Amino acid sequence: MHRVLDRAHRILFASLSLLGLRGQGRVLHWYFDWWHRRPDPWRLAVDDYEQAKYATTLRQLPRRRYRRILDVGCSEGTFTHRLAAAFPHAEVTGVDISERALARARTPEPGRTPVPGRTPAPRFARLNILTAPPEDRFDLVFCAELLYYLGRHRHLRRACAHLTRAVAPGGLLVLVHPWPESRRFCAYFEAVAGFRRLAEHVEPDSVRPFAVSVYEAPAADRTEELRQAGPGPAPGREA
């Protein structure tokens, strides 16, 4: 059943991407604001599958000191707040296209108290990853359950460019999407010069199989060299 619903979902959003960047952006803004007319529409804060996916994602991270973390497509901030708890000394930011979702993300949860010695609570900002990259660069960037909303090849390639631009030299980009569909999305990032896959973990026996893919940006001393060399070959064909 999940495969049938996912297939119908992909056909719908591939069709919407024919509206162009601005038209698709308006539709996605309306769509996610409509879903967030009620709190936590996908039960991200309570669903066992989602909680297991969050824990699996965090286990794939190399042990490093992450100073700045970005959660792209953060919805109401469930995973963003989890990141803040896991990395209490990091500056954590969540971005989303839905203003309703962000309003809830900024609302403190009952019983949540500040952690002594950590930086302020996560910051939340509105962003459409199709039309603009994040303003800053980050040591660790997450993009989960988002890319299948973008449809066309050129839109996915544009989002890929914006996401990779947000990763600081030597930083990490983590993609979390359904398996095996995730391989199609990963191909865009593997075509970016200098980005390399550090790890990939697949949960094939989950209710809805998914993959966590971890990519590392080139170090600072190679960034200028790769920029002058230009982008790698694009996956697939222009749609």
Side-chain angles (χ1 to χ4, degrees):
M1 179 58 71
H2 281 289
R3 291 185 179 181
V4 173
L5 293 175
D6 283 350
R7 179 61 178 166
H9 180 280
R10 306 308 184 258
I11 292 172
L12 170 63
F13 283 93
S15 300
L16 291 177
S17 69
L18 297 174
L19 296 172
L21 291 172
R22 291 185 179 179
Q24 184 182 16
R26 286 194 293 269
V27 171
L28 289 175
H29 184 195
W30 172 86
Y31 174 83
F32 286 108
D33 265 358
W34 181 85
W35 269 104
H36 286 99
R37 69 194 186 280
R38 55 187 175 86
D40 198 13
W42 291 285
R43 295 173 52 82
L44 301 180
V46 296
D47 184 77
D48 289 343
Y49 167 83
E50 297 295 340
Q51 300 309 304
K53 186 165 60 175
Y54 295 155
T56 300
T57 299
L58 291 175
R59 284 197 299 269
Q60 310 317 308
L61 299 178
R63 291 189 176 182
R64 298 182 182 180
R65 183 174 179 85
Y66 302 105
R67 296 175 299 173
R68 307 190 71 205
I69 302 175
L70 177 66
D71 183 16
V72 180
C74 67
S75 187
E76 295 179 8
T78 299
F79 185 60
T80 319
H81 284 291
R82 187 160 181 163
L83 288 171
F87 302 100
H89 300 289
E91 177 185 316
V92 180
T93 300
V95 294
D96 199 272
I97 198 172
S98 169
E99 292 166 346
R100 282 184 177 174
L102 292 170
R104 292 202 186 99
R106 296 185 184 105
T107 302
E109 290 185 4
R112 179 185 289 150
T113 57
V115 178
R118 68 150 282 128
T119 53
R123 182 177 71 91
F124 293 95
R126 186 170 181 267
L127 178 74
N128 178 355
I129 197 63
L130 274 176
T131 58
E135 293 181 355
D136 300 315
R137 305 187 84 179
F138 299 83
D139 305 311
L140 181 58
V141 177
F142 291 89
C143 177
E145 303 285 349
L146 171 66
L147 296 175
Y148 46 68
Y149 287 103
L150 306 185
R152 303 173 69 190
H153 166 78
R154 73 182 184 93
H155 291 195
L156 283 164
R157 193 175 185 190
R158 184 181 180 91
C160 170
H162 289 168
L163 286 166
T164 54
R165 193 182 305 176
V167 186
L172 301 182
L173 172 66
V174 182
L175 305 176
V176 186
H177 289 86
W179 174 265
E181 182 183 23
S182 61
R183 295 308 308 144
R184 178 169 69 91
F185 302 135
C186 287
Y188 288 88
F189 298 89
E190 291 168 4
V192 177
F195 265 74
R196 66 188 186 99
R197 190 172 73 197
L198 289 184
E200 183 171 75
H201 176 83
V202 178
E203 288 285 340
D205 300 323
S206 173
V207 172
R208 184 170 177 254
F210 66 90
V212 180
S213 305
V214 182
Y215 291 87
E216 185 176 52
D221 58 355
R222 292 199 63 212
T223 301
E224 180 61 23
E225 171 191 342
L226 292 166
R227 186 188 67 80
Q228 293 179 0
R237 298 174 57 187
E238 183 69 34

